[in-house]
Amino acid sequence: QVQMQESGPGLIKPSQTLSLTCPPSNASITTNYYWWNWIRQSPGLGLEWMGSISRSGGTDYSPTFKNRASLSRNTSKNQFTLQLRSVTPEDTAVYYCVGDSGTNTWEYWSQGTQVTVSS
């Protein structure tokens, strides 16, 4: 069973860059067909897909985030990373890293980490 666990700061100041990292367990980020996603849920809102990175490092972004978000990976550490620039209080949310084995469904979810943007 693939297990996901993200790590990152719980509190960040406005205008800074949020960085979250996710090292999947029991799966390699270079496994065929897998896509690795970042999804968030803001207070009172539904889930927002932010972007994904493929086994080969190709990326896809939601139009909402493509100007501020960057996804990258480190194959030697078997982890992928989200960076979100110029955060504002509206970026306060629970952030999830999610694995998709190529079925186009979000199969493997992390527990989520609360990120609060506040001065």
Side-chain angles (χ1 to χ4, degrees):
Q1 179 75 4
V2 178
Q3 295 182 329
M4 314 289 287
Q5 179 64 56
E6 73 280 289
S7 62
L11 179 65
I12 186 172
K13 296 184 186 306
S15 81
Q16 291 185 333
T17 295
L18 170 65
S19 184
L20 295 171
T21 298
C22 184
S25 299
N26 302 323
S28 167
I29 62 171
T30 60
T31 301
N32 280 345
Y33 311 121
Y34 270 77
W35 283 83
W36 306 98
N37 301 271
W38 289 99
I39 294 169
R40 77 179 191 182
Q41 185 163 27
S42 304
L45 298 178
L47 295 170
E48 288 185 285
W49 173 74
M50 302 179 70
S52 57
I53 188 165
S54 74
R55 62 171 295 274
S56 61
T59 54
D60 191 18
Y61 295 97
S62 162
T64 302
F65 297 103
K66 70 174 184 177
N67 290 331
R68 290 198 298 136
S70 296
L71 271 68
S72 61
R73 63 181 190 151
N74 184 325
T75 55
S76 63
K77 294 183 178 180
N78 196 48
Q79 65 186 31
F80 61 104
T81 299
L82 166 72
Q83 289 193 314
L84 186 65
R85 297 177 291 277
S86 303
V87 298
T88 71
E90 286 67 41
D91 293 310
T92 294
V94 177
Y95 288 76
Y96 300 91
C97 57
V98 182
D100 165 9
S101 67
T103 61
N104 291 325
T105 58
W106 296 330
E107 299 163 84
Y108 308 110
W109 289 76
S110 65
Q111 288 187 318
T113 191
Q114 173 70 49
V115 175
T116 299
V117 181
S118 175
S119 55

